[in-house]
Amino acid sequence: MTTILVTGGTGTLGRLVAERLRADGAEVRVLSRHARPYAVDLREGSGLASAVAGVDTVVHCASSPRGGDEQAARNLIAAAREAGVRHLVYISIVGVDRVPFPYYRAKLAVERLVEGSGIGWTLLRTTQFHDLVLRVLQASAKLPVMLLPAGVADQPIEVAEVAERLAGLAVGAPAGRVADMGGPEVRTFPELARAFLRASDRHRRLLNVPLAGSAYRAFRAGGHLTPERAVGTVTFERFLAERFPG
């Protein structure tokens, strides 16, 4: 039986990846800071050697916008090499090489670490998950006026569809960088905000706010989008209907 380690295996994506792999018959180990028996902080690396011992494939879903992803990847790669792991699968974001946003730069740096790891690797980039867009809109809706980045669109994708793709890649052979995955529609932020307000039965004014900086310009230019790879099927409205039934 194939043994697969999923880092960040209790998170939004990792949990679904682990469930799918188990359903397909794989032996799955879930690694996160609080999930025993493999409670490991990747940034420190303590306990990592035992977590990867006997593992065939690692699916690296753990990530934090607060920093530390590069050190975590270095620790994971070193332990995986030592344990003889044959396949390292990494989930990244569309546009990390086009948008000079700090978190994107960290994801790009981890991509390069994976590519140079000496381990067979597979890399998948996707657009933002519906869940993240919803959290952004919910935070903005706490104010009487929703402040939105002027001129920016998004292409949200259903996390379950990404999990299915990632699980399929994990049980296959190392494939290098595979085709990007984007959500089914490119939508402006006002369109996304109005859909959210309708679904949650709220009323807010919308205000488009111009921002400054190279990252904002790259987002406005669509550097984080992949309309030619709109392979997702679940629209934002369908996602919202499941989150706000009735």
Side-chain angles (χ1 to χ4, degrees):
M1 181 182 293
T2 301
T3 301
I4 301 176
L5 175 71
V6 181
T7 74
T10 60
T12 301
L13 174 62
R15 175 179 56 82
L16 295 179
V17 172
E19 289 175 0
R20 178 56 188 267
L21 288 168
R22 287 192 178 109
D24 289 343
E27 179 181 335
V28 178
R29 298 181 187 177
V30 168
L31 184 150
S32 77
R33 283 178 292 175
H34 307 293
R36 297 189 180 280
Y38 303 110
V40 175
D41 187 333
L42 285 172
R43 295 168 300 183
E44 298 176 0
S46 178
L48 189 51
S50 61
V52 298
V55 166
D56 302 292
T57 298
V58 172
V59 183
H60 187 27
C61 298
S63 184
S64 173
R66 294 185 295 274
D69 278 11
E70 293 175 62
Q71 186 57 51
R74 290 189 187 96
N75 291 338
L76 178 64
I77 288 168
R81 276 199 303 253
E82 183 68 23
V85 170
R86 295 192 294 269
H87 190 186
L88 177 57
V89 182
Y90 182 56
I91 180 70
S92 190
I93 305 171
V94 169
V96 292
D97 53 348
R98 299 192 295 262
V99 179
F101 186 61
Y103 181 54
Y104 281 30
R105 285 173 170 162
K107 296 289 284 187
L108 181 60
V110 174
E111 285 188 9
R112 290 170 176 163
L113 289 171
V114 169
E115 292 166 6
S117 65
I119 301 170
W121 57 275
T122 300
L123 168 65
L124 172 66
R125 291 180 181 176
T126 76
T127 52
Q128 303 292 341
F129 301 155
H130 290 308
D131 304 72
L132 175 60
V133 175
L134 176 59
R135 289 198 299 270
V136 170
L137 295 174
Q138 286 175 323
S140 181
K142 292 179 180 179
L143 301 173
V145 177
M146 292 183 69
L147 305 179
L148 306 174
V152 177
D154 211 337
Q155 191 182 352
I157 191 168
E158 171 56 38
V159 66
E161 294 183 292
V162 177
E164 182 176 0
R165 175 67 170 140
L166 208 59
L169 292 170
V171 298
R177 183 180 167 189
V178 298
D180 295 347
M181 285 187 72
E185 300 174 322
V186 175
R187 307 286 297 278
T188 68
F189 260 93
E191 289 173 338
L192 294 167
R194 292 187 191 101
F196 160 69
L197 292 172
R198 286 193 300 269
S200 60
D201 195 24
R202 303 185 192 195
H203 301 278
R204 297 287 190 277
R205 288 179 53 211
L206 307 181
L207 179 62
N208 292 314
V209 180
L211 303 176
S214 57
Y216 172 62
R217 289 194 296 272
F219 280 124
R220 284 196 60 162
H224 60 305
L225 307 176
T226 181
E228 70 281 3
R229 290 293 303 164
V231 296
T233 62
V234 178
T235 65
F236 192 55
E237 278 82 0
R238 179 176 160 191
F239 163 79
L240 290 171
E242 294 177 356
R243 288 301 181 95
F244 300 97

